[in-house]
Amino acid sequence: MAHDAAQNTLPGVSYVMPVLNEVTHVRAAVDSLLQQDYEGPFEVTLALGPSMDGTTELVEELAAVDPRIRVVENVVGSTPAGLNLAIRESRYPIVIRVDAHSVLPADYARIAVETIISTGADNVGGLMDAQGTTPFEKAVARAYGSRIGLGGTKLHVGGEAGPAETVYLGVFVRQRLLDVGLFAEDIKRGQDWELNRRLRASGGTVWFTPELKVTYRPRPNLYRLARQFVSTGVWRGELARRFPSANGVRYFVPPAMVVAVVLGFLVGIAGIVQAVVGAQPWLLLGFAVPVFYALVVVASAVVWGRRDGFRSFLWFLVVLPCIHFCWGIGFLLGFLSLSRNITAHTGR
């Protein structure tokens, strides 16, 4: 009887998940939704993009055995298009965004709904808790969770509950999503930040709570990690160009670092030329910049990378520069309006 009463009084929740070529992770992500301890009604809507790795067959199998799972076809294949399709097909007043790489803890929906009710927020989110299984993935996870890796924002390293610029994933009041026009489909990455910008601009509140912690599975190899961060950087540069007053200084640190290291290296090369021709090689001082950066990477690896063993420590020495340089180069390309050419080849 208590369960039936909760079903009648608690708001229903709609889990929405865009899925594209995620055969490795999507089952665990969906299972984490079905195992939530939230006692209100719920539904799961998967926006299935044109996958080529067996994801389509797996998702159809999941929907066939559980009527609470629905599949909608996302012909465009992009994340924002899939989210909007799933939201439009949903019917409950609370929308919980889920990523196919994420695993929600059993109390996620319950805590999120309680927080929305108690704070009156339009969007509630928490911490992206990156967890790897291989030495490479563990190194990536450590980089994500370190202040030098992704900038030390609350959604990566945690912090006190309160209003925030943006949060990981998000649990939304559905009507407020409709009020501000849903996700911008012309923004392939960073669409959550842009949506939260509109929510806040319209007088709404985006709320961070450390009680919400979502397990995130990092990319499994260096190639896919590099693609991810080039694409992410491109779109962050695009957003910085579109909304200059809404972007903090921290977004400009990686591109500034890339420019400084590259210029320093080139100046150092010029110093070698000076030495060869018999001139005073004062330009060798340019090497101080890349050397300083290398020392920062090594020091960071000692602090964070060594916690998961020697192999993860070695991977951290590679992963951290990969994140910095790919993101920074992508940012510069996006900021210089080259994102259309680049994102066509960087994938989801």
Side-chain angles (χ1 to χ4, degrees):
M1 293 294 292
H3 176 74
D4 292 338
Q7 285 265 335
N8 292 329
T9 58
L10 291 173
V13 300
S14 298
Y15 301 98
V16 296
M17 181 194 304
V19 181
L20 176 66
N21 291 324
E22 297 289 0
V23 70
T24 304
H25 300 288
V26 67
R27 184 185 293 275
V30 172
D31 285 346
S32 74
L33 308 182
L34 302 179
Q35 295 165 7
Q36 292 289 299
D37 64 14
Y38 185 68
E39 295 187 344
F42 75 91
E43 63 183 351
V44 178
T45 303
L46 306 179
L48 178 62
S51 301
M52 299 176 291
D53 66 344
T55 298
T56 299
E57 293 76 12
L58 175 57
V59 164
E60 291 174 348
E61 174 190 330
L62 294 174
V65 299
D66 194 322
R68 296 170 298 184
I69 301 174
R70 303 170 61 200
V71 179
V72 295
E73 187 177 5
N74 178 17
V75 178
V76 176
S78 72
T79 296
L83 287 169
N84 287 346
L85 279 169
I87 292 167
R88 292 189 183 103
E89 291 292 326
S90 68
R91 58 196 175 100
Y92 289 127
I94 303 295
V95 172
I96 299 182
R97 177 184 174 178
V98 187
D99 187 273
H101 275 252
S102 60
V103 177
L104 302 189
D107 58 1
Y108 186 86
R110 175 171 53 81
I111 291 175
V113 173
E114 289 173 354
T115 305
I116 283 179
I117 293 173
S118 64
T119 64
D122 302 300
N123 181 18
V124 169
L127 181 68
M128 187 185 82
D129 183 26
Q131 297 288 338
T133 55
T134 67
F136 174 81
E137 291 175 356
K138 290 178 180 179
V140 176
R142 287 295 179 188
Y144 278 21
S146 67
R147 293 193 175 276
I148 196 171
L150 296 182
T153 56
K154 283 184 177 182
L155 65 90
H156 292 299
V157 301
E160 295 182 356
E165 178 185 14
T166 191
V167 291
Y168 182 53
L169 298 179
V171 179
F172 302 87
V173 176
R174 184 176 188 273
Q175 187 56 51
R176 290 291 289 134
L177 284 175
L178 298 175
D179 290 343
V180 299
L182 300 179
F183 290 89
E185 295 190 16
D186 63 330
I187 298 176
K188 307 306 180 187
R189 286 187 179 271
Q191 65 279 145
D192 48 354
W193 176 89
E194 194 279 329
L195 173 63
N196 286 322
R197 181 192 67 84
R198 279 183 281 133
L199 285 172
R200 291 185 289 107
S202 66
T205 300
V206 178
W207 190 271
F208 171 84
T209 174
E211 291 186 86
L212 294 179
K213 184 181 293 187
V214 181
T215 299
Y216 173 84
R217 301 302 183 192
R219 296 301 190 269
N221 56 58
L222 195 63
Y223 172 71
R224 292 187 63 181
L225 182 72
R227 281 178 52 127
Q228 176 191 9
F229 275 92
V230 168
S231 181
T232 302
V234 162
W235 282 103
R236 173 47 59 187
E238 171 79 11
L239 291 172
R241 183 172 55 81
R242 292 192 194 185
F243 313 107
S245 63
N247 288 269
V249 174
R250 64 184 177 85
Y251 293 117
F252 294 88
V253 173
M257 178 276 300
V258 168
V259 172
V261 169
V262 171
L263 288 179
F265 184 78
L266 293 176
V267 170
I269 293 295
I272 294 176
V273 174
Q274 284 180 320
V276 170
V277 300
Q280 186 71 23
W282 62 273
L283 291 177
L284 288 173
L285 290 173
F287 282 130
V289 179
V291 167
F292 175 76
Y293 175 74
L295 291 175
V296 170
V297 170
V298 172
S300 301
V302 170
V303 174
W304 287 291
R306 65 186 177 87
R307 299 179 184 181
D308 298 304
F310 185 67
R311 291 179 64 191
S312 289
F313 168 79
L314 294 178
W315 271 122
F316 193 95
L317 294 171
V318 178
V319 162
L320 192 61
C322 175
I323 290 174
H324 288 166
F325 275 85
C326 289
W327 199 98
I329 291 170
F331 183 98
L332 292 171
L333 293 172
F335 194 74
L336 296 173
S337 304
L338 299 175
S339 60
R340 181 175 301 177
N341 296 329
I342 299 300
T343 52
H345 303 284
T346 50
R348 178 172 176 267

